[in-house]
Amino acid sequence: MRFSRREFSRLAGVASLSSLLPSRWSSAQAQSTGGQGIRWCIVGLGRISMDHFMPAVKLGNSGHITALVSGHRDKAEKQAAIYGVPSNAIYSYDNFDAIAQNKEIDAVYIALPNSMHAEYTIRAAKAGKHALCEKPMATSVADSKAMIEACKSAGKKLMIAYRCHYEPVNLKAVEIIRSGALGTIQAIESDFGFNIPAGEWRIDRKLSGGGPLMDVGIYSLNACRYLTGEEPQEISAYSSVIDHDGRFKNVEENVSWTMKFPSGIVAACNTTYGASMDGFYRVHGAKGMLELNPAFGYSGIHMTGQIGREKIPDLVTAPDPAQFKAQADHFADCINQNKEPKTPGEEGLRDMELMSRIYQSAGLPALS
Amino acid sequence: MRFSRREFSRLAGVASLSSLLPSRWSSAQAQSTGGQGIRWCIVGLGRISMDHFMPAVKLGNSGHITALVSGHRDKAEKQAAIYGVPSNAIYSYDNFDAIAQNKEIDAVYIALPNSMHAEYTIRAAKAGKHALCEKPMATSVADSKAMIEACKSAGKKLMIAYRCHYEPVNLKAVEIIRSGALGTIQAIESDFGFNIPAGEWRIDRKLSGGGPLMDVGIYSLNACRYLTGEEPQEISAYSSVIDHDGRFKNVEENVSWTMKFPSGIVAACNTTYGASMDGFYRVHGAKGMLELNPAFGYSGIHMTGQIGREKIPDLVTAPDPAQFKAQADHFADCINQNKEPKTPGEEGLRDMELMSRIYQSAGLPALS
């Protein structure tokens, strides 16, 4: 016998359990900006901006795009035409600070190589703008702290773009776990990785700060934290470079790590730049198991599992860019209602500190 | 496009690659005893003996059952009737050494609580019998060495019952990896566990020697070794007890560990007695991924995966007791042809030493 949809809803407490959930997990989908859109300046026109974030702003309720920052004027003009951005609101990295004089910008979305996150977040704050910054928030713990401090001093919001905190299937996973339906959680497995092409900025430590851990392993690390609701007490890790083909001169190829949480939950994770890993997690409780596979994609996130002998109905996330939309909407809400984002700078800082411990445990330099 | 069965056979090298494989993996299925059956004495009439091993002997070519050892005469007589064992070939643990005088016994199959493995293997060797002993081979490294020494001194074979080394889907996984079809292997994930009922001998350290690591985590550990063909260089582990319900007074509830192999391959593993874990592994190579889920069951072992963009055809193991049959047949071959088993005492000893390191890393007593 399987659960009917209604029984599952009851079980997982779609409605009734929301009051039991930690507030930062309870109502991501219910929020809306109430029509008070904000005005976005997009900093960096890479794939994540053009293919995911900008279409999501267009579809969502967070507001609209009023300015662009890019090193490629041609590319920027094409995007400006699509989104109705005036030509005089296209900035380069040289005249970035002029955004301060543009009253048609409330917030920036920063999607640059990791090493530029801190500088442009801090400059945005000094220009009087709120900042939504991609993960990892920086390439060092010190820079992360400086970003938090700069936004605080300027009285501006800082949010780190942890998509999965705004993605319905991940939210449902957390809801099921917090409801107690899986019983006491004992152990988690997670992975995320891909086989990186030569020449990507991600394998240049100066730009990325590190290898797959910083880029995709961070999803597994962050997931273990939001799934358990705990901070890891102990971390132990190994890293390696197997392929001596020139790609891994200054970043790691593989990292494997285990963590122990205060309640006793243990987690085992892998990340790589040398092989494909779909990005999954599996949560084992005394009464049941829940798996998201894939767990971290832009679309197609897929939940399976079982409670006792009964299957959890398959749940698949809405197509892209739903989660980017929810994320942008949330930040607009926080600005409009003067609320702390669910994934503030401090959330990013915690991952930076933990990744630094992982690197140190693996015998690599700290992210200090 | 998917592989046709024929293409897959070619790819995975069902026939042609066997010559490239390490000898202990190459021909498990091709072997047969050539009609020279051996005479088995079954030591311990638990579920694994009665439901799996004994039916497998009956179906296979390893010989037949000629004697039984049990503390329960009634149970033994019922089994004796099924397998045609004469009444005077039913032994108790008190008169076990009398098997020395029974010329109708060539080998014993030892399926007792772990703490009794060493004693009965050594007594069997002294009685002039070969021994196939269940895993884990003992509860201490010292006992494991004593078992190897006793069998060597007596000129008798010692094999540890690592089923998966004789199971076709696991063998196919190794074959695909060795063929290079997955490219350079980077990382492995594995788990195995279950929610143990109170009162089982397995949670009494005196009988079991340890918790889930000794009982089921050993499958993941051993798999990482046969999948890579390497011995782990570094191991780091955490353990915990979350459920303070009386079950985990002297064994661990959860263990999570990572390993680094000489080539740089990393592995992340979990085991538990507090939740259900189907027992899986996933092997990530530069060109493809292979998963067995479940990987270690008595039946239904299921391979999926992909090489590049093409799916590996699903492969499911033959129903139980096929792998017990292959295992028993192999041991009979080794005896008849005076060959070293593919999983000799030394294979069991290596796992014992590694599990001891895992326990020590987790702050638990060594298995010394």
Side-chain angles (χ1 to χ4, degrees), chain A residues 184-191 195 234-243 247 253-260 263-272 274-278 280 282 284-289 291 293 306 362, chain B residues 184-191 195 234-243 247 253-260 263-272 274-278 280 282 284-289 291 293 306 362:
Chain A
T184 308
I185 305 304
Q186 308 286 345
I188 301 174
E189 293 116 40
S190 184
D191 75 16
N195 201 338
E234 298 179 76
I235 297 189
S236 182
Y238 296 118
S239 83
S240 66
V241 173
I242 298 178
D243 291 308
R247 288 180 297 166
E253 184 173 22
N254 301 298
V255 184
S256 181
W257 76 98
T258 62
M259 297 183 279
K260 185 174 171 179
S263 67
I265 295 171
V266 290
C269 303
N270 278 338
T271 185
T272 187
S276 177
M277 288 178 176
D278 285 344
F280 92 115
R282 198 182 290 149
H284 302 275
K287 295 180 187 168
M289 182 278 287
E291 176 167 341
N293 190 0
Q306 58 179 56
Chain B
T184 308
I185 305 305
Q186 308 286 345
I188 301 174
E189 293 115 41
S190 184
D191 76 15
N195 201 339
E234 298 179 75
I235 297 189
S236 181
Y238 295 118
S239 84
S240 67
V241 173
I242 299 179
D243 290 308
R247 287 180 297 166
E253 184 174 22
N254 301 298
V255 185
S256 180
W257 75 99
T258 63
M259 297 184 280
K260 185 174 171 179
S263 68
I265 296 171
V266 291
C269 303
N270 278 338
T271 185
T272 187
S276 177
M277 288 178 178
D278 285 343
F280 92 116
R282 198 181 290 150
H284 303 274
K287 295 179 186 168
M289 183 277 287
E291 176 167 342
N293 190 358
Q306 58 179 57

Side-chain angles (χ1 to χ4, degrees), chain A residues 28-49:
Chain A
Q29 287 176 270
Q31 291 169 345
S32 89
T33 57
Q36 288 186 285
I38 63 164
R39 294 159 301 178
W40 290 98
C41 172
I42 308 299
V43 186
L45 295 177
R47 279 170 301 183
I48 196 166
S49 290

Side-chain angles (χ1 to χ4, degrees), chain A residues 286-343:
Chain A
K287 295 180 187 168
M289 182 278 287
L290 174 156
E291 176 167 341
L292 265 64
N293 190 0
F296 310 122
Y298 293 149
S299 60
I301 293 174
H302 183 184
M303 183 194 292
T304 55
Q306 58 179 56
I307 296 172
R309 291 168 183 271
E310 306 198 28
K311 270 191 71 176
I312 291 176
D314 282 24
L315 191 61
V316 179
T317 195
D320 180 48
Q323 56 185 314
F324 285 89
K325 177 182 164 304
Q327 177 179 265
D329 289 358
H330 176 74
F331 193 49
D333 278 336
C334 291
I335 292 169
N336 285 328
Q337 300 165 24
N338 193 24
K339 291 189 315 186
E340 181 74 347
K342 294 197 299 174
T343 53

Side-chain angles (χ1 to χ4, degrees), chain B residues 110-132:
Chain B
I110 297 175
L112 296 167
N114 306 341
S115 62
M116 299 168 77
H117 288 177
E119 177 186 347
Y120 283 87
T121 296
I122 292 167
R123 285 167 71 176
K126 286 185 179 163
K129 312 301 181 188
H130 304 284
L132 171 58

